Amino acid sequence: MKEYFPNIPKIAYEGPKSRNPYAFRYYNPDEIIAGKPMREHLRFAMAYWHTLCADGTDMFGRGTANKSFGESDPMEHAYAKAYAAFELMDKLSIDYYCFHDRDIAPEGKTLAETNANLDKVADLLEELQKKYNKKLLWGTANCFNHPRYMHGAGTSPYADVFAFAAAQIKKAIEITARLGGTNYLFWGGREGYETLLNTDMGLELDNLARLLTMARDYGRKMGIKGDFYIEPKPKEPTKHQYDFDAATCVAFLQKYNLMDDFRLNIEGNHATLAGHTFQHELAVARINGVFGSIDANQGDYLLGWDTDQFPTNVYENTLVMMEVLRAGGFKTGGLNFDAKCRRGSYTPEDIVLAHIAGMDGYAQGLRMAVKLQEDGLLDNFIKERYASYESGIGADIVSGKATLESLEAYALSKGEVVDSVGSGRQEYLEMQMNAIMFE
Ligand code: XUL
Ligand code: CO
């Protein structure tokens, strides 16, 4: 069988002292940490669109990476991408993958032709999943690339476009279900607006909810057992994306009665674009019971757009994995590398090295988060900081027994309370965190 990455061996764990670039220093898939194998904590997934499709094209220049995999015919190219994807997942020990419908198969002249292309590639993906023992984490429909979606898909002012998007999503759900995909995702690519001068925001949001509700109903009918995800992002491509951040998404799901079936897919670079930390977005999802999955990447703090870099910032990865552990680990989701090589890192080897960097970066994050959890310093500090709510007047506030009258009586009896206010000890906690992480 043709090998697409002939120079790349199967990547093995060699431990932190290894300087072999084609080895893991921290990711040891079957090593048990905090009660389960690392591969189950991390549930790594490969993003089809970046890894198999993106060739480095940007606004200022054409592609730099050759992702033809030796084929020029569109269907042959699609098959070659599938073989290359599974070879890579196998060599990198990545257990899951994620795709948009248009990543895996080319569009035909009509929707019917496009759907037939999808069916043919899905036959091959099904075979390869069995052969390599890989799973689909989630599928999605690309309802943002084609010109028909210039004003949105579910939020298009034009009902014909809404209908077309619905048809496209129906097929993507069928393919996802057929491949045993655990979850189905919506990223609101063009679901937003450029100016309120021409936009009926209320109708657009109601329509988006209508589309998600129909998709949920059909997905359950087709056998999607996991979650439906929406993915917060504040801007790009539209000026204002409707799924701005985790809190906005929670309000949307609550308003439209979708909290039972939908959870959030939180992405690092999207969090920072929204002016939040990655950890903040995960915490908002967790405390609202909608932590689902992660698009693992990082942005560049100096740039205001979505650079989708491989997540090598170990400190940030540690904070992310701390939140994942606090949420009780992934239930349906995983860590999908929604990340691409820089345009100048254009060789096949770079794709492999980038994934190793991201996987090792998150394996380090997991190891450090477990250390922090086992040490208990941070969790205990938080617990103690709020201890006044466990008894006395605090317990009355939490239980709902307290009223403004009873609290006024309490405050009057106290006179002044400034002496009961403790220090936040931020610098102390940062110091101790570093000490625990790097001991
Ligand atoms: C875009 C983005 C998408 C989604 C899937 O910023 O993150 O790749 O993850 O549509
Ligand atoms: Co993403």
Side-chain angles (χ1 to χ4, degrees):
M1 209 176 87
K2 182 168 172 187
E3 258 194 287
Y4 292 89
F5 298 87
N7 306 325
I8 306 298
K10 176 127 182 150
I11 309 301
Y13 171 73
E14 292 185 1
K17 295 225 156 48
S18 171
R19 287 295 167 264
N20 173 8
Y22 295 105
F24 294 120
R25 273 145 290 278
Y26 301 96
Y27 185 51
N28 190 11
D30 296 315
E31 184 181 329
I32 309 284
I33 291 188
K36 59 182 181 187
M38 291 185 88
R39 61 170 6 118
E40 284 176 30
H41 276 289
L42 294 164
R43 291 167 61 93
F44 287 130
M46 176 177 283
Y48 219 92
W49 53 102
H50 286 307
T51 301
L52 286 313
C53 309
D55 65 0
T57 300
D58 70 12
M59 270 93 88
F60 305 98
R62 66 197 75 174
T64 53
N66 181 353
K67 298 255 173 105
S68 72
F69 300 102
E71 303 294 344
S72 51
D73 170 76
M75 281 307 282
E76 291 307 318
H77 181 217
Y79 296 137
K81 285 196 293 186
Y83 286 114
F86 281 80
E87 184 188 326
L88 263 181
M89 284 190 274
D90 183 48
K91 288 183 167 170
L92 284 160
S93 299
I94 293 181
D95 295 331
Y96 299 87
Y97 70 116
C98 302
F99 62 63
H100 303 84
D101 48 2
R102 303 296 175 254
D103 305 334
I104 58 169
E107 286 189 80
K109 286 193 197 68
T110 62
L111 184 60
E113 218 178 275
T114 304
N115 288 349
N117 289 348
L118 271 170
D119 285 331
K120 285 186 205 140
V121 180
D123 288 340
L124 175 60
L125 292 174
E126 200 170 10
E127 192 186 310
L128 291 169
Q129 281 184 193
K130 281 201 199 97
K131 177 173 170 199
Y132 288 100
N133 190 25
K134 304 292 175 196
K135 295 194 188 78
L136 181 61
L137 186 67
W138 49 257
T140 186
N142 181 330
C143 291
F144 44 89
N145 179 292
H146 194 280
R148 78 176 74 86
Y149 298 125
M150 67 177 84
H151 303 302
T155 64
S156 173
Y158 304 98
D160 278 3
V161 176
F162 184 106
F164 200 101
Q168 191 182 327
I169 289 167
K170 174 176 177 287
K171 183 69 185 176
I173 287 173
E174 288 163 13
I175 295 283
T176 301
R178 178 187 155 185
L179 293 171
T182 314
N183 312 288
Y184 186 83
L185 175 124
F186 298 86
W187 167 57
R190 306 235 174 232
E191 316 293 26
Y193 66 81
E194 296 300 327
T195 171
L196 285 175
L197 294 177
N198 64 13
T199 302
D200 182 342
M201 179 155 51
L203 178 64
E204 291 200 359
L205 282 163
D206 290 348
N207 279 348
L208 182 58
R210 289 181 181 112
L211 184 62
L212 298 192
T213 305
M214 289 177 209
R216 185 266 325 264
D217 293 344
Y218 190 68
R220 290 292 182 229
K221 201 160 88 185
M222 286 292 104
I224 303 276
K225 301 244 163 21
D227 292 313
F228 295 85
Y229 297 140
I230 53 176
E231 182 175 320
K233 184 174 186 182
K235 54 190 167 189
E236 203 201 20
T238 69
K239 181 185 83 167
H240 181 97
Q241 298 274 134
Y242 287 134
D243 295 331
F244 191 94
D245 61 0
T248 311
C249 287
V250 168
F252 174 88
L253 294 177
Q254 283 171 342
K255 176 175 177 189
Y256 294 104
N257 222 355
L258 293 166
M259 288 289 280
D260 289 344
D261 299 277
F262 280 77
R263 287 172 193 259
L264 304 187
N265 182 41
I266 303 289
E267 176 164 330
N269 206 160
H270 296 180
T272 48
L273 285 178
H276 301 305
T277 61
F278 199 166
Q279 190 190 7
H280 169 90
E281 289 293 84
L282 290 164
V284 170
R286 173 172 61 79
I287 64 175
N288 286 289
V290 289
F291 166 65
S293 200
I294 288 180
D295 268 8
N297 66 16
Q298 66 190 37
D300 184 313
Y301 288 112
L302 299 182
L303 303 178
W305 63 90
D306 201 11
T307 58
D308 283 344
Q309 290 168 230
F310 275 86
T312 53
N313 180 337
V314 175
Y315 197 86
E316 184 165 81
N317 298 348
T318 301
L319 296 172
V320 168
M321 289 315 296
M322 223 165 78
E323 280 304 318
V324 173
L325 293 175
R326 281 180 178 157
F330 290 113
K331 303 284 186 307
T332 57
L335 281 162
N336 169 47
F337 288 111
D338 191 354
K340 60 186 175 204
C341 291
R342 297 308 81 200
R343 189 165 181 269
S345 306
Y346 68 95
T347 72
E349 289 77 17
D350 286 305
I351 298 174
V352 175
L353 294 168
H355 280 89
I356 296 173
M359 293 168 81
D360 254 353
Y362 259 98
Q364 266 181 296
L366 169 65
R367 288 176 188 278
M368 292 191 173
V370 168
K371 269 191 186 178
L372 287 162
Q373 193 186 47
E374 284 172 355
D375 181 276
L377 180 112
L378 296 176
D379 287 339
N380 289 338
F381 189 91
I382 292 175
K383 194 165 164 29
E384 274 166 37
R385 193 167 186 229
Y386 296 88
S388 65
Y389 288 95
E390 281 165 22
S391 60
I393 196 74
D396 288 351
I397 293 170
V398 171
S399 70
K401 197 173 146 203
T403 61
L404 284 190
E405 291 95 324
S406 72
L407 293 170
E408 183 198 41
Y410 180 84
L412 287 170
S413 76
K414 282 275 178 177
E416 182 47 76
V417 293
V418 68
D419 290 342
S420 63
V421 177
S423 165
R425 293 264 190 271
Q426 180 172 336
E427 300 77 5
Y428 156 81
L429 292 170
E430 287 165 349
M431 166 184 75
Q432 296 289 28
M433 189 173 155
N434 283 343
I436 297 163
M437 282 170 67
F438 298 105
E439 74 194 347

